[in-house]
């Protein structure tokens, strides 16, 4: 898989500069990406601000934590069911 060249924070900053009025060809030359990449980023990130990006990352981390907790509880539940069934 291809390594990401730009972090999400950088992408949001580039998109913000594009919204302010900097032409896309100038941005692509300055940062070294293809013009079509700008529009892919714009579709993915939309009008996301840095605060919204931070909140999204926090929610993703919490979601991962809850998934791990669910997996642990599910495994414990399965073990308990087997023990009860043997009894």
């Amino acid at each position: 898989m291809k390594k990401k060249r730009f972090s999400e924070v950088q992408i949001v900053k580039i998109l913000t500069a594009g919204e302010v009025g900097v032409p896309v060809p100038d941005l692509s030359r300055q940062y070294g990406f293809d013009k079509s990449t700008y529009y892919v980023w714009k579709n993915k990130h939309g009008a996301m601000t840095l605060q919204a990006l931070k909140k999204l990352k926090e929610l993703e981390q919490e979601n991962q934590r809850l998934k791990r907790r669910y997996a642990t509880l599910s495994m414990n539940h399965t073990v308990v069911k087997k023990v009860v069934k043997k009894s």
Side-chain angles (χ1 to χ4, degrees):
M1 187 172 186
K2 199 168 158 182
K3 183 180 177 186
K4 287 185 177 182
R5 189 167 166 197
F6 295 98
S7 69
E8 290 184 347
V9 173
Q10 291 172 322
I11 292 171
V12 169
K13 287 182 180 179
I14 292 169
L15 291 175
T16 305
E19 289 174 3
V20 169
V22 179
V24 175
D26 291 347
L27 286 172
S28 68
R29 260 185 262 114
Q30 181 181 359
Y31 291 101
F33 61 86
D34 192 46
K35 293 176 209 169
S36 62
T37 304
Y38 175 84
Y39 296 105
V40 170
W41 288 343
K42 191 171 181 178
N43 284 336
K44 183 178 178 185
H45 298 285
M48 192 176 287
T49 62
L50 291 177
Q51 292 82 12
L53 183 64
K54 183 178 178 183
K55 182 69 174 174
L56 177 66
K57 289 219 181 256
E58 288 173 1
L59 290 173
E60 287 174 347
Q61 288 174 351
E62 172 134 8
N63 192 23
Q64 289 299 319
R65 185 181 57 79
L66 291 173
K67 283 182 180 181
R68 283 192 300 272
R69 182 177 284 175
Y70 173 77
T72 303
L73 288 173
S74 178
M75 188 171 42
N76 290 342
H77 178 70
T78 305
V79 170
V80 169
K81 277 179 102 174
K82 287 182 181 180
V83 169
V84 169
K85 187 176 180 182
K86 287 182 180 181
S87 296

